[in-house]
Amino acid sequence: MSSFISSMFGRGSSAPAPIPRASPAFTSQDPEEMWRSLLSDGFCVLQGAVDKKEVDEALRAINRSLGSHVPNREDMCPDCKTAPEITNLFNKSAVKGALDMLLGSYHPVGGGQIALRFPGDNTVGHNEVPPNWQDHWHIDGLGDHANKQKSSLYGDISNFTALVGVVLQDACEDFMGNLVVYSGSHIELQEYFKANGFEDLYTQGVSGLPRMRFQRGHRQLHLRAGDAIIANYCTAHTIAPNISPYIRYSVYFRVTSKTHGSGNRGQSSVHVRSGMKHRPESMLDVWCDWPGLKRHMTVATATSQAQGQLLHRQQQIELEEERQLRIVLERSKHDT
């Protein structure tokens, strides 16, 4: 099992050499970058978070399921979603350590979504990338008539705390069915929801999302088998067209803080009917259920303030030294 500490400070000596990446990503050797990436971008990437052994076992379970069942795009590999080979990607990897640190107490992860993207998915014509494909972003947990499993979500929002994805096969170029994220969208959506509320999402589901173009655009993540991504629930995302000859293998876990559903309504003025899954507080303050991250923000702010005070004091000392030096020089002129 990979420990979180080892993932933070480097792979084992037997790990394959890093390959070039066209899109920037959090490097597991720099834990400080994890905090910065989450706060600024709404997501971070943990390179090599899952050992090859766990990756291979998950791939074996998925491929065995594909050989035994007709693939159902809306419910892929239902016989292995809760299998140990799948849940070990979370529970026996650096991912769990990272979430323990970021969220503190959260509900156990009992299963994952098997997310496969086949050659030709989301393409048009003869394996071509459709125009404006990047405009079709979403956040999870909303009603969607195009997906039978999500048609029951109208009238509610099934939000959660963190989206966690584990990559099981390299996708190191664009348009391989990559996960696509929109840096900073978590804050833009937070501000949109503060201004506009959630009624459109209740009544229209995913169609009620604003058709906004985010200020910082989109990024196709280039990831290797064993890499993991942690994203805030409100971070907009989509899937790139797959024009490659390969199936993209990933597993997603949706992690929910134990404050979700606890009756802790915080400062929210949004009325939520009894029995609803929606926790509006965590969409109006996107880090409210991330106590580890908030502690880091507090410490970072205090450190920055202390450094600022120290710098100010040092500048005052230097100014006083310059003043004293001018006085001495002025006296020397008079003496001569």
Side-chain angles (χ1 to χ4, degrees):
M1 167 179 160
S2 295
S3 70
F4 179 65
I5 298 299
S6 65
S7 79
M8 290 293 96
F9 294 99
R11 303 174 189 260
S13 60
S14 61
I19 61 174
R21 296 170 183 261
S23 59
F26 162 72
T27 56
S28 55
Q29 289 81 357
D30 183 3
E32 186 65 27
E33 183 62 20
M34 180 181 73
W35 305 108
R36 287 196 296 266
S37 182
L38 276 168
L39 290 169
S40 173
D41 300 330
F43 71 93
C44 69
V45 174
L46 306 180
Q47 295 179 10
V50 182
D51 285 346
K52 185 177 185 300
K53 175 178 178 291
E54 272 70 48
V55 169
D56 288 348
E57 289 180 353
L59 279 172
R60 187 177 298 110
I62 293 170
N63 286 333
R64 183 171 61 243
S65 177
L66 290 174
S68 304
H69 304 84
V70 176
N72 178 353
R73 292 304 187 97
E74 294 183 1
D75 189 19
M76 192 69 69
C77 304
D79 59 323
C80 68
K81 292 191 295 184
T82 61
E85 294 92 337
I86 300 303
T87 57
N88 284 348
L89 296 171
F90 184 98
N91 293 320
K92 289 191 174 183
S93 73
V95 174
K96 186 178 186 302
L99 268 295
D100 289 346
M101 182 173 63
L102 292 166
L103 304 186
S105 180
Y106 55 89
H107 294 284
V109 171
Q113 174 198 357
I114 312 301
L116 309 184
R117 290 296 177 264
F118 293 87
D121 279 1
N122 298 342
T123 65
V124 295
H126 184 62
N127 208 38
E128 298 170 357
V129 175
N132 302 319
W133 63 270
Q134 68 275 10
D135 293 340
H136 301 289
W137 57 267
H138 68 280
I139 57 177
D140 292 346
L142 304 178
D144 186 356
H145 286 307
N147 186 319
K148 292 180 180 179
Q149 289 191 324
K150 297 179 181 179
S151 60
S152 64
L153 296 177
Y154 285 95
D156 201 352
I157 298 174
S158 187
N159 62 319
F160 47 89
T161 308
L163 178 66
V164 176
V166 176
V167 177
L168 303 182
Q169 184 162 319
D170 294 358
C172 300
E173 299 177 7
D174 282 352
F175 300 115
M176 296 184 70
N178 316 58
L179 178 66
V180 181
V181 286
Y182 298 74
S183 295
S185 58
H186 60 309
I187 300 300
E188 292 188 58
L189 286 175
Q190 169 187 272
E191 298 309 306
Y192 174 86
F193 295 138
K194 285 181 180 179
N196 298 277
F198 302 102
E199 191 59 33
D200 287 347
L201 301 189
Y202 291 149
T203 58
Q204 302 174 47
V206 71
S207 299
L209 286 168
R211 289 298 96 195
M212 59 199 297
R213 289 198 172 187
F214 298 107
Q215 295 179 9
R216 295 168 61 189
H218 67 281
R219 182 192 302 179
Q220 294 192 47
L221 295 182
H222 295 177
L223 303 173
R224 296 172 56 202
D227 289 351
I229 177 172
I230 299 173
N232 186 282
Y233 168 79
C234 280
T235 301
H237 56 279
T238 190
I239 302 300
N242 188 359
I243 64 174
S244 81
Y246 307 107
I247 299 173
R248 188 218 68 182
Y249 287 80
S250 294
V251 175
Y252 287 95
F253 303 94
R254 288 160 178 84
V255 184
T256 305
S257 166
K258 285 191 175 179
T259 57
H260 194 117
S262 65
N264 175 17
R265 300 255 61 93
Q267 300 299 315
S268 175
S269 60
V270 178
H271 174 70
V272 178
R273 298 189 311 274
S274 176
M276 288 182 68
K277 297 178 180 178
H278 187 203
R279 175 169 163 77
E281 293 80 11
S282 60
M283 297 175 70
L284 300 171
D285 175 5
V286 295
W287 300 119
C288 72
D289 291 336
W290 299 64
L293 190 61
K294 295 189 79 170
R295 282 194 298 272
H296 176 79
M297 292 164 63
T298 301
V299 170
T301 300
T303 301
S304 178
Q305 291 173 344
Q307 290 174 339
Q309 292 171 355
L310 182 62
L311 178 61
H312 177 71
R313 177 62 180 156
Q314 182 64 34
Q315 290 172 338
Q316 292 298 108
I317 292 172
E318 291 175 356
L319 288 172
E320 178 61 20
E321 289 176 346
E322 290 178 6
R323 190 181 73 84
Q324 293 293 338
L325 179 60
R326 284 196 296 270
I327 292 173
V328 170
L329 292 174
E330 190 65 27
R331 286 177 176 171
S332 297
K333 288 180 182 178
H334 290 302
D335 290 343
T336 56

